[in-house]
Amino acid sequence: MDPISGRARPIGRRAPGLRVGARGLGARLGSAALALGALAGPAGAVVGGREAPEGASGSVMVLSSDGGVCSAVVLAPDTVLTAAHCAAGRAEHRVHYREGAEPVLVEVAGRAVHPGYDAGAIAGRRRSIDLALLRTATPLPARFAPARLAADGPRAGESLVLSGYGVARAGEARTTGTFRSASLPVVEPYGPSRILVWLKPAAGPAGACQGDSGGPIARGDGAIVAVTAWVGGGPCGAISQGVLLGPQRDWLDRTLQGWGRRAVWE
């Protein structure tokens, strides 16, 4: 990990009622998906941003049996990219989206966690490549379009769009489940990184919060530069951190090729 703060933390959100064993997993996750859909209201946005339904066709949610709620980027009809801390460990996972008013949960048939992921990186102030790929047992609906990935990294001062299904206000679970975006400038407190990009709002709190881990960080033309992994430097809306995709292209391409899939790079 490239630390910018001793208080950096992953931001997959815990959802009440999701902690279960293998027995009854589907039913409990289904109940959780219904609850998320019922609770997600028209509240403001990804801390300090706006609702962005136009971007939801490229992203889904990831729910886990240990209570995790995260976002993810669609790379192929049956493949999504998320943060490794959203998909690692013993928990079982489901990809979640809504079909009209109905929540849908899709089983995960394959999982690949980046070999550079270190679950203890934050506590130990070590580097970690917090990325994972999930392959679904059945394809997503055709309305989900594979994302375009950016091979080049961003520049300091460039504005990127951070998006996700997380809470609009820290600690308010009822705001989870609506796709929201915030435009944030890139900052480089310790010089250019080969792992992370840092985003800090120019004025007022804005950025990632619980449930936004694994969501896209994109250029203005929509190409995905990074996926959200941590918040640091204080509460939600202070500094958002994402794992850059360009430097991890080799791992992404090799893993996808092994699954008979490919990413779209620009």
Side-chain angles (χ1 to χ4, degrees):
M1 172 184 173
D2 286 318
I4 65 170
S5 165
R7 291 174 290 173
R9 62 191 187 278
I11 50 172
R13 190 179 71 78
R14 296 284 179 187
L18 277 180
R19 184 179 295 277
V20 294
R23 180 175 297 179
L25 172 69
R28 292 294 295 276
L29 281 172
S31 298
L34 282 167
L36 285 171
L39 291 173
V46 142
V47 180
R50 65 177 184 85
E51 293 187 16
E54 71 280 1
S57 63
S59 296
V60 292
M61 296 177 72
V62 176
L63 307 183
S64 65
S65 59
D66 67 357
V69 176
C70 287
S71 303
V73 177
V74 176
L75 297 187
D78 62 352
T79 306
V80 303
L81 172 67
T82 189
H85 71 262
C86 298
R90 295 184 176 182
E92 295 191 44
H93 301 86
R94 297 289 187 273
V95 168
H96 168 56
Y97 61 89
R98 297 188 69 81
E99 197 64 76
E102 296 299 319
V104 178
L105 290 163
V106 182
E107 292 188 11
V108 172
R111 176 176 65 174
V113 175
H114 195 289
Y117 171 63
D118 180 353
I122 293 175
R125 298 181 67 82
R126 299 185 297 269
R127 296 191 176 195
S128 178
I129 303 173
D130 198 346
L131 293 177
L133 290 163
L134 298 176
R135 183 164 52 84
T136 58
T138 56
L140 300 171
R143 63 184 172 85
F144 286 101
R148 295 175 292 116
L149 307 184
D152 295 332
R155 303 178 306 277
E158 179 180 355
S159 288
L160 299 178
V161 179
L162 182 151
S163 304
Y165 286 99
V167 298
R169 291 176 293 278
E172 294 192 18
R174 68 182 182 83
T175 63
T176 304
T178 296
F179 194 73
R180 305 178 176 98
S181 296
S183 181
L184 302 167
V186 174
V187 294
E188 294 176 344
Y190 298 121
S193 173
R194 292 289 293 171
I195 295 178
L196 298 178
V197 61
W198 298 275
L199 307 172
K200 184 177 181 179
C209 203
Q210 290 86 11
D212 290 321
S213 284
I217 298 175
R219 300 186 312 215
D221 63 2
I224 310 300
V225 172
V227 298
T228 301
W230 302 287
V231 294
C236 294
I239 295 176
S240 302
Q241 299 170 312
V243 179
L244 293 166
L245 300 184
Q248 311 309 325
R249 180 171 181 172
D250 181 64
W251 176 77
L252 288 166
D253 285 348
R254 282 189 291 105
T255 304
L256 291 170
Q257 184 177 19
W259 290 352
R261 305 292 179 266
R262 62 182 295 272
V264 179
W265 290 94
E266 294 186 350

